[in-house]
Amino acid sequence: MPDPNKSLLERLADFLTPQPTSPTERRQELIETLREAQTDGLIDADALSMIEGVFQVGELSARDILVPRAQIDWIDINLPLTEIIKTVIEAAHSRFPVFEGNRDNVIGILLAKDLLRHSSEKDFQVRDWLRPAVFIPESKRLSVLLRDFKDNRNHLAMVVDEYSSIAGIITIEDVLEQIVGDIEDEHDVDDEADNLISLDNGDIRVKGITELEQFNEMLGTQFDVEDIDTVAGLVIQHLGRVPKIGERIEIDGIEFEVQRADPRQIHILLARQLPKQSD
């Protein structure tokens, strides 16, 4: 614990000199000192949140925040060009993984700007405009991945599991959101139809902003908490804090698993109904 008899400046200076404590202990001490600085008005809440996000990025790996393969907007290289263009326009992403034969055979990344700029050209072939795909293991640390994104000017990576199958994708935006919070661009749409997605294993992928009323309607639950409107709010109110990625929280027979979050809010959860205990 920080020494309360030392000034804030003295405690911050201590982190610049060698100490016998472990890196984890010193990191926690630093966070506590910075939280005190925020309480005293020396730094604002957003700055503190971003600093905590930087530490979180150092602890997480690609598997913690990837977009699962079932939720990827894929492009099949063998589809007619008109269907590919329709998919790109409707999905409104800037980059799309392209596969041939099956989704574990990713042959490249299609940039929407390349397709829309050149698709009207004579003899246009999607295959000719594919960018190389980058493949990374699920275990890759986000801090290392962010540096790779920056150094290689790449914005998307395919994440593979231990069996060399595609587990999902991860973008530079996904990593940055762990530091600065949710990044909304001009293509982000608050569409209730996308708030709750049923996965193949029976789990429900839930956006944190999902209204409790919508959640109750789909899962048959009866969550009704005064002054709480969203699923993220329900979980945070139950815990008394913002949970970390990977945490599991049981509330009235529903287990929530945090998939994406930053120090300020929950973005994505998995929800599953637990078996009822027999008397």
Side-chain angles (χ1 to χ4, degrees), residues 51-272:
I51 294 171
E52 290 181 327
V54 169
F55 285 126
Q56 181 169 271
V57 163
E59 297 173 351
L60 299 176
S61 59
R63 69 166 58 89
D64 295 316
I65 68 167
L66 61 79
V67 176
R69 63 183 286 158
Q71 297 162 27
I72 297 174
D73 289 305
W74 298 88
I75 296 292
D76 183 344
I77 191 66
N78 293 317
L79 286 177
L81 180 58
T82 54
E83 291 191 33
I84 293 177
I85 293 175
K86 180 181 178 182
T87 298
V88 169
I89 292 175
E90 289 180 349
H93 300 312
S94 59
R95 293 168 174 79
F96 296 81
V98 181
F99 71 91
E100 185 169 26
N102 66 77
R103 294 180 178 182
D104 287 322
N105 183 33
V106 176
I107 60 175
I109 304 298
L110 176 64
L111 271 58
K113 66 178 183 179
D114 290 341
L115 176 69
L116 301 178
R117 284 177 183 174
H118 303 287
S119 59
S120 61
E121 295 177 359
K122 184 180 179 180
D123 299 326
F124 174 83
Q125 296 291 327
V126 172
R127 195 183 298 268
D128 296 336
W129 288 92
L130 297 184
R131 308 294 179 95
V134 174
F135 299 88
I136 64 169
E138 290 180 300
S139 58
K140 186 151 192 170
R141 289 286 179 182
L142 295 189
S143 55
V144 177
L145 178 59
L146 183 60
R147 184 168 62 248
D148 289 349
F149 276 147
K150 176 178 177 292
D151 292 343
N152 301 323
R153 298 179 179 271
N154 181 45
H155 288 192
L156 182 149
M158 307 301 304
V159 184
V160 297
D161 62 21
E162 59 184 311
Y163 304 105
S164 299
S165 297
I166 301 298
I169 62 172
I170 189 170
T171 68
I172 190 171
E173 179 179 295
D174 295 327
V175 180
L176 291 175
E177 283 182 342
Q178 303 307 308
I179 301 174
V180 301
D182 196 25
I183 301 172
E184 293 187 0
D185 62 28
E186 67 273 20
H187 300 305
D188 287 332
V189 179
D190 186 13
D191 184 357
E192 287 191 1
D194 191 38
N195 283 348
L196 298 162
I197 298 176
S198 297
L199 305 182
D200 292 340
N201 65 356
D203 289 351
I204 306 295
R205 182 179 183 270
V206 186
K207 286 185 178 179
I209 61 172
T210 303
E211 297 283 338
L212 285 177
E213 182 179 353
Q214 185 186 4
F215 185 86
N216 287 337
E217 183 177 342
M218 181 169 182
L219 278 80
T221 49
Q222 297 181 337
F223 292 120
D224 184 11
V225 182
E226 186 177 357
D227 297 328
I228 299 295
D229 297 321
T230 67
V231 175
L234 172 72
V235 172
I236 292 172
Q237 190 268 351
H238 180 81
L239 277 181
R241 59 178 174 80
V242 179
K244 296 181 179 180
I245 290 174
E247 278 197 65
R248 297 186 179 188
I249 304 96
E250 180 183 345
I251 308 177
D252 294 342
I254 301 293
E255 182 180 72
F256 296 95
E257 180 180 343
V258 181
Q259 270 207 317
R260 291 181 59 189
D262 60 55
R264 287 173 288 187
Q265 58 187 317
I266 303 171
H267 300 297
I268 302 292
L269 307 100
L270 293 178
R272 59 185 68 95

Side-chain angles (χ1 to χ4, degrees), residues 22-36:
S22 70
T24 300
E25 291 174 335
R26 286 180 55 74
R27 180 165 57 244
Q28 186 57 40
E29 288 177 7
L30 177 56
I31 290 175
E32 290 175 4
T33 300
L34 291 170
R35 286 175 178 168
E36 181 180 327

